[in-house]
Amino acid sequence: MPNLSVLPSFRLPVLFLALAVVPAAAQDDPLLALAARYRAEAIASKRILPEQFWEAVAPALGSAALGVEEVGRSGEGRPIRTVTFGRGPTRLLLWSQMHGDESSATMALADIIRWLADSAPDPRRDRIAERLTVVLLPMLNPDGAARFRRENAWGIDVNRDARRQVTPEARALKAVRDRVEPHFAFNLHDQNGRSRAGRGGPPAAFALLAPAADSARTWTPTRQRARRLAAAMATALGRHLPGRIAKYDDTWSARAFGDAMQAWGASTVLLETGALAGDPEKQRLRTLNVVALLTALEAIAADPAVPGPTAPYDGLPGNASTPYDLLVVGGTLQVPGLAPVQADLGFVHGGGVGATGLLLEDVGDLRDFAAVDTVDASGLVLIPSPVMLEAGGARRGIRLGAPAQLEARRGAETAFTISPSGRDRP
Ligand SMILES: [Zn+2]
């Protein structure tokens, strides 16, 4: 997903704060406690450089329980490594951050690596060691991670290179797949922070998918098993974030790795981390990644057939995208030299490295749309600052794509202002 998932805490909508309250029973989740206990503290922000990641897990990688192997080099020569745990007959492959600005699962893999490295007796870990062979491939696209952008150094989306495999990152992943021949695969991403759990629903904290293996989206036995596994993960996540888990779109693509892995015979689950109000650095979402992934490992260790219902997956609301990060509705827009009109303003966060401020996307009747945050400007006059107007001349219309910079007034009094970082009160 593009880098639109930045959700600064100032835009906490009260409604979603209320929805985000953790149910009391969830505090007792042993996997959540485990995630907290083994958290790699050196990683505290979603912008992680490749060398920072490997430094943070370096002490754990010395454990005799883990095997570390360089399986390739990125276009710019950064190492791509796998970390392997366990000696069991059922093989799993988990890779993260093939999109360089999608690091939530990478942070979770650091925590999981620290847990797997611990030599203290732990029935949970011992069972995984005995029954599974778990191959972790954190940060498949280190060149993208170094830039905190989706694509690799060539500007190629590695997840659209499963068919052609011209990038060393895609080839490294395929080579690991061919060698490991996993029974299960986990494709770990972050999605657009404006995605909702169902149309008009709250922001989706996670989306799950058992990707299609062909254009007919056939429910092969391999995909059925992935569906049941995704159901188990949805149940675990839903305990913490009821109503906030969505199902990702299952349109098949021959270029995408999740679809290809399913076709190559691994029961594959796509886990997309979304957004959570008050968690701009995705640290709570990181711990919930640990919960989801360890839930999956335990389910497979308990029975590789993964018996269980599909309903918790089938019943998930579809992932619906929201066009705006911020909507200012019901105000009267006053452009100098033009008649005042009633107009809603829709803003989106600018993409690209370093550009995260709100930009004007649309003006007009936008009442049918949901946004991450909506501000009611009824009875107010909206006065755009010069930066939002076209340059020069006597007639200066509104400039679409301009940085958000306006004042909402009631008479002579300022009710609030909008800046590239959001809404500010006077
Ligand atoms: Zn992605």
Side-chain angles (χ1 to χ4, degrees), residues 16 55 77 80 82 122 134-135 151-152 158 160 182 202 205 236 254 264 320:
F16 300 139
E55 248 176 64
I80 298 169
T82 55
D122 179 339
V134 183
V135 179
E151 299 83 2
N152 72 359
V158 178
R160 302 290 178 270
W264 294 331

Side-chain angles (χ1 to χ4, degrees), residues 82-209:
T82 55
V83 178
T84 302
F85 174 83
R87 53 190 175 276
T90 303
R91 298 179 299 276
L92 282 64
L93 171 60
L94 298 81
W95 72 95
S96 74
Q97 214 169 345
M98 67 193 313
H99 292 144
D101 55 353
E102 301 177 10
S103 62
S104 295
T106 299
M107 296 190 275
L109 291 184
D111 305 337
I112 290 172
I113 285 170
R114 283 169 46 82
W115 175 61
L116 294 175
D118 194 342
S119 57
D122 179 339
R124 198 182 284 276
R125 185 170 46 223
D126 295 347
R127 187 152 78 154
I128 289 172
E130 180 190 314
R131 300 185 178 181
L132 308 182
T133 298
V134 183
V135 179
L136 308 177
L137 199 172
M139 206 183 266
L140 176 64
N141 176 9
D143 296 351
R147 295 165 170 83
F148 203 64
R149 80 170 189 198
R150 179 181 178 90
E151 299 83 2
N152 72 359
W154 283 273
I156 293 176
D157 182 334
V158 178
N159 201 27
R160 302 290 178 270
D161 193 30
R163 182 171 55 194
R164 190 174 271 169
Q165 294 177 31
V166 298
T167 62
E169 298 86 6
R171 284 198 297 269
L173 179 58
K174 179 59 161 53
V176 170
R177 193 231 74 91
D178 289 348
R179 185 161 48 87
V180 173
E181 295 191 323
H183 301 93
F184 293 89
F186 295 82
N187 186 14
L188 307 173
H189 291 255
D190 287 61
Q191 68 174 2
N192 187 328
R194 296 201 304 272
S195 301
R196 325 286 294 198
R199 220 157 254 302
F206 288 96
L208 284 156
L209 179 71

Side-chain angles (χ1 to χ4, degrees), residues 106-408:
T106 299
M107 296 190 275
L109 291 184
D111 305 337
I112 290 172
I113 285 170
R114 283 169 46 82
W115 175 61
L116 294 175
D118 194 342
S119 57
D122 179 339
R124 198 182 284 276
R125 185 170 46 223
D126 295 347
R127 187 152 78 154
I128 289 172
E130 180 190 314
R131 300 185 178 181
L132 308 182
T133 298
V134 183
V135 179
L136 308 177
L137 199 172
M139 206 183 266
L140 176 64
N141 176 9
D143 296 351
R147 295 165 170 83
F148 203 64
R149 80 170 189 198
R150 179 181 178 90
E151 299 83 2
N152 72 359
W154 283 273
I156 293 176
D157 182 334
V158 178
N159 201 27
R160 302 290 178 270
D161 193 30
R163 182 171 55 194
R164 190 174 271 169
Q165 294 177 31
V166 298
T167 62
E169 298 86 6
R171 284 198 297 269
L173 179 58
K174 179 59 161 53
V176 170
R177 193 231 74 91
D178 289 348
R179 185 161 48 87
V180 173
E181 295 191 323
H183 301 93
F184 293 89
F186 295 82
N187 186 14
L188 307 173
H189 291 255
D190 287 61
Q191 68 174 2
N192 187 328
R194 296 201 304 272
S195 301
R196 325 286 294 198
R199 220 157 254 302
F206 288 96
L208 284 156
L209 179 71
D214 55 44
S215 58
R217 307 180 206 190
T218 310
W219 283 108
T220 60
T222 300
R223 190 178 178 212
Q224 286 281 16
R225 188 167 64 165
R227 181 191 200 174
R228 296 190 297 271
L229 187 59
M233 296 166 76
T235 300
L237 289 170
R239 273 199 284 272
H240 297 280
L241 298 167
R244 304 292 301 274
I245 318 302
K247 192 197 296 172
Y248 202 81
D249 176 72
D250 74 343
T251 305
W252 178 75
S253 166
R255 301 185 300 158
F257 264 102
D259 309 46
M261 286 281 177
Q262 197 87 270
W264 294 331
S267 290
T268 304
V269 173
L270 167 72
L271 177 64
E272 293 268 3
T273 300
L276 205 53
D279 191 18
E281 292 298 331
K282 301 195 169 186
Q283 297 305 304
R284 185 161 171 239
L285 290 168
R286 159 196 186 163
T287 62
L288 290 169
N289 262 270
V290 174
V291 170
L293 295 176
L294 292 187
T295 295
L297 264 57
E298 296 207 305
I300 297 165
D303 186 342
V306 194
T310 61
Y313 171 77
D314 298 339
L316 292 174
N319 219 18
S321 69
T322 299
Y324 308 112
D325 284 302
L326 173 67
L327 261 182
V328 179
V329 296
T332 299
L333 178 64
Q334 193 168 301
V335 179
L338 295 177
V341 290
Q342 189 183 355
D344 310 319
L345 305 179
F347 297 91
V348 298
H349 271 282
V353 177
T356 53
L358 292 167
L359 307 175
L360 181 63
E361 177 78 4
D362 279 322
V363 183
D365 182 353
L366 308 178
R367 289 170 297 173
D368 295 345
F369 299 105
V372 176
D373 190 13
T374 300
V375 179
D376 184 3
S378 301
L380 304 180
V381 174
L382 305 173
I383 300 169
S385 77
V387 73
M388 296 194 71
L389 303 177
E390 291 164 343
R395 291 178 183 276
R396 300 184 64 187
I398 275 275
R399 186 160 70 90
L400 292 168
Q405 199 68 257
L406 64 87
E407 196 181 345

